[in-house]
């Protein structure tokens, strides 16, 4: 499911070193999920999604209950290797956005003051050119916009970027849909 | 002495009502809006009875010639892209530069305008602020309430200036909110208001007066909007 070689110490050690020293809370691993795995996930999750609509929080389709043991374990291990400490999974969200959908700051349920990482996997079929995930810090100028990229794995230190919204999808995306798996992983104590 | 536009320390245009010491006060005649022609009694009843929250629509506020003139004013007014969590549009600065738009602001914030809006809303109003907005295709303003602690906004307004047929989408949508323990927990679309040229919409500002400008699908949408405080 994960791109071969990505989970090796040789691949992750330089990323870990860079991220720990960088002044950005977000790390992007492009092409981390294999396209065929993404296709399977979209098919598996589709019948389990339900609609969420609260206008001042957001509009999307989601599943908060389905588990995928192998994928969750491997992503959790990936996160642990990258931040250099053991992580436990506390929440998983399967999300789908289409034209007219969005998630606002008020709809962010991943906010936490505990150490850990928010890991998001994009299992969309294509890039839409929209639907950026925008993380915000406490200070002016603390804004990190993560483009929507199929197969991308994004890790974010939510202690340093406590606010998140996901941009509205305009009519330009047509029938395209954005699929995301979002894991909240907190440090074991 | 005529009411005049002044800029407050925050850079926002405010109408200052100038009064002469004479008992026979000279009131500035409204240039754009015939407030004397408003049926305030009927508008007040419409305001009180509106759902999901108080609002009122005044149509055909301006002549075609006046709208053309205001569009010229908008074209002369600098606008900047404003893209964020909720919004994607072009907006003027808080300090309007074009005399045409400033004179419209004087109408709204002059003695007659404030008294008229105060009478139909039942609120004590002292001033008005306004900006100019251009929404292009894809532009929108996602659901939100205009209320801010300590800012004093009481009545929001929007005056639509698009050319007929210039835009598909861009409607003003009002939401019914379900509140539990002070938090909005559910919403439902309750009213969709077309942005017809020359239409003025006034609506209540509260923590639950949730509304949005729906996405512009095609064309462009012109408006001026702001708040009475």
């Amino acid at each position: 499911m994960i791109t071969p070689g990505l989970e090796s110490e040789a691949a992750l050690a330089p990323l870990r070193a860079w991220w720990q020293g960088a002044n950005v809370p977000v790390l992007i691993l492009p092409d981390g999920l294999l396209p065929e795995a993404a296709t399977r996930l979209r098919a598996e999750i589709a019948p389990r999604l339900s609609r969420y609509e609260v206008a001042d929080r957001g509009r999307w389709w989601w599943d908060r209950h389905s588990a995928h043991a192998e994928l969750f374990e491997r992503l959790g291990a990936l996160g642990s290797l990258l931040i250099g400490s053991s992580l436990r999974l506390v929440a998983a969200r399967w999300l789908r956005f289409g034209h007219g959908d969005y998630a606002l700051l008020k709809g962010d349920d991943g906010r936490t003051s505990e150490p850990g990482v928010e890991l998001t996997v994009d299992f969309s079929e294509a890039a839409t050119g929209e639907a950026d995930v925008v993380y915000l810090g406490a200070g002016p100028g603390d804004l990190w916009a993560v483009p929507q990229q199929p197969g991308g794995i994004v890790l974010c230190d939510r202690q340093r970027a406590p606010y998140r919204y996901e941009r509205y999808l305009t009519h330009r995306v047509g029938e395209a849909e954005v699929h995301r798996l979002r894991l909240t992983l907190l440090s074991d104590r | 002495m005529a009411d005049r536009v002044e800029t407050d320390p925050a850079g926002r245009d405010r109408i200052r009502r100038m009064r002469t010491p004479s008992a026979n006060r000279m009131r500035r005649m409204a240039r754009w809006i015939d407030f004397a022609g408003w049926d305030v009694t009927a508008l007040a009843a419409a305001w009180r009875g509106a759902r999901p929250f108080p609002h009122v629509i005044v149509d055909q506020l301006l002549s075609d010639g006046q709208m053309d003139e205001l569009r010229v004013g908008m074209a002369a007014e600098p606008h900047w892209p404003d893209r964020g969590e909720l919004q994607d549009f072009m907006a003027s600065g808080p300090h309007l530069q074009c005399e045409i738009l400033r004179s419209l602001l004087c109408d709204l914030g002059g003695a007659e305008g404030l008294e008229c809006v105060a009478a139909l809303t039942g609120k004590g109003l002292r001033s008005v602020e306004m900006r100019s907005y251009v929404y292009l295709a894809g532009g929108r303003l996602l659901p939100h309430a205009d209320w801010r602690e300590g800012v004093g906004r009481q009545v929001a307004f929007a005056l639509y200036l698009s050319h007929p047929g210039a835009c598909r989408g861009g409607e003003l949508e009002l939401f019914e909110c379900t509140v539990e323990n002070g938090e909005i927990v559910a919403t439902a679309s309750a009213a969709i208001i077309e942005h017809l040229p020359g239409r003025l919409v006034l609506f209540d500002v509260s923590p639950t007066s949730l509304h949005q400008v729906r996405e512009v699908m095609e064309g462009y949408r012109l408006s001026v909007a702001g708040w009475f405080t």
Side-chain angles (χ1 to χ4, degrees):
Chain A
M1 304 194 80
I2 307 294
T3 298
L6 182 61
E7 297 158 289
S8 68
E9 177 63 15
L12 295 176
L15 293 172
R16 180 173 61 239
W18 173 85
W19 197 25
Q20 288 177 352
N23 193 28
V24 273
V26 179
L27 176 67
I28 302 172
L29 306 175
D31 302 318
L33 184 74
L34 293 171
E36 50 268 34
T39 300
R40 286 198 304 272
L41 289 173
R42 290 195 301 273
E44 288 170 9
I45 204 62
R48 304 181 204 158
L49 297 173
S50 59
R51 188 67 175 161
Y52 177 92
E53 282 197 36
V54 178
D56 66 337
R57 294 176 187 267
R59 294 165 40 125
W60 59 74
W61 292 86
W62 69 341
D63 174 8
R64 293 175 289 170
H65 306 294
S66 295
H68 194 302
E70 179 196 350
L71 182 60
F72 288 9
E73 183 179 337
R74 293 177 71 175
L75 291 173
L78 184 70
S80 297
L81 287 170
L82 276 167
I83 71 164
S85 69
S86 178
L87 297 170
R88 70 185 191 282
L89 177 67
V90 298
R93 302 279 188 266
W94 302 88
L95 301 161
R96 189 179 76 198
F97 298 85
H99 172 211
D101 292 343
Y102 57 93
L104 300 181
L105 295 175
K106 283 185 71 175
D108 176 8
D109 64 354
R111 206 170 299 171
T112 179
S113 57
E114 296 186 51
V117 69
E118 177 173 280
L119 188 151
T120 305
V121 181
D122 189 310
F123 59 104
S124 311
E125 182 175 358
T128 60
E130 300 192 5
D132 296 2
V133 179
V134 181
Y135 290 101
L136 302 162
D142 287 351
L143 182 151
W144 301 274
V146 181
Q148 184 259 321
Q149 292 181 309
I153 299 175
V154 178
L155 297 98
C156 180
D157 177 354
R158 294 303 310 271
Q159 284 188 302
R160 295 165 63 193
Y163 308 103
R164 170 186 18 92
Y165 67 90
E166 294 169 88
R167 285 202 206 279
Y168 176 92
L169 274 74
T170 73
H171 65 283
R172 298 186 189 97
V173 305
E175 299 297 317
E177 294 175 326
V178 172
H179 290 77
R180 293 181 172 132
L181 167 64
R182 178 163 291 133
L183 305 182
T184 300
L185 302 161
L186 298 182
S187 291
D188 279 333
R189 297 184 188 272
Chain B
M1 190 181 295
D3 295 342
R4 65 186 192 204
V5 177
E6 294 183 344
T7 304
D8 69 15
R12 293 170 295 201
D13 288 333
R14 299 279 189 184
I15 298 299
R16 183 172 179 185
R17 297 176 57 183
M18 307 302 287
R19 298 194 179 277
T20 67
S22 165
N24 294 322
R25 292 176 182 163
M26 290 290 291
R27 283 185 160 209
R28 173 187 174 277
M29 294 298 292
R31 172 179 170 183
W32 301 98
I33 302 170
D34 176 24
F35 291 107
W38 287 23
D39 185 344
V40 174
T41 302
L43 290 171
W47 171 272
R48 288 191 301 272
R51 295 291 178 268
F53 48 83
H55 69 273
V56 72
I57 298 171
V58 182
D59 278 327
Q60 299 177 328
L61 193 74
L62 305 165
S63 67
D64 290 347
Q66 286 179 314
M67 280 190 280
D68 284 341
E69 209 175 335
L70 287 168
R71 291 179 192 123
V72 169
M74 285 191 68
E77 181 72 33
H79 291 73
W80 287 271
D82 190 344
R83 188 165 185 252
E85 177 205 11
L86 299 177
Q87 74 278 16
D88 190 351
F89 49 59
M90 306 277 288
S92 69
H95 177 72
L96 292 169
Q97 299 183 32
C98 172
E99 188 278 333
I100 292 174
L101 297 182
R102 290 165 72 92
S103 70
L104 175 63
L105 179 59
C106 276
D107 271 23
L108 291 166
E112 196 177 10
L114 289 175
E115 286 170 7
C116 197
V117 177
L120 77 92
T121 62
K123 295 175 182 278
L125 304 174
R126 298 174 58 187
S127 62
V128 65
E129 57 181 281
M130 184 179 88
R131 294 193 192 195
S132 170
Y133 296 90
V134 179
Y135 291 71
L136 303 176
R140 71 271 173 190
L141 178 55
L142 294 177
H144 66 287
D146 290 346
W147 184 83
R148 298 287 182 277
E149 180 79 46
V151 174
R153 296 170 179 170
Q154 297 202 67
V155 178
F157 73 91
L159 173 60
Y160 303 119
L161 298 172
S162 297
H163 291 89
C167 180
R168 185 168 63 88
E171 302 89 349
L172 176 65
E173 184 172 16
L174 310 182
F175 293 90
E176 181 83 51
C177 296
T178 302
V179 179
E180 289 179 6
N181 299 319
E183 289 286 327
I184 296 173
V185 296
T187 59
S189 178
I192 295 176
I193 300 171
E194 300 281 343
H195 55 102
L196 299 179
R199 168 173 282 181
L200 174 71
V201 179
L202 299 159
F203 59 93
D204 193 37
V205 176
S206 78
T208 56
S209 55
L210 210 64
H211 60 282
Q212 73 165 340
V213 175
R214 300 172 86 183
E215 181 190 349
V216 171
M217 299 296 190
E218 190 176 0
Y220 59 89
R221 178 189 191 273
L222 307 178
S223 65
V224 293
W227 302 277
F228 292 87
T229 60

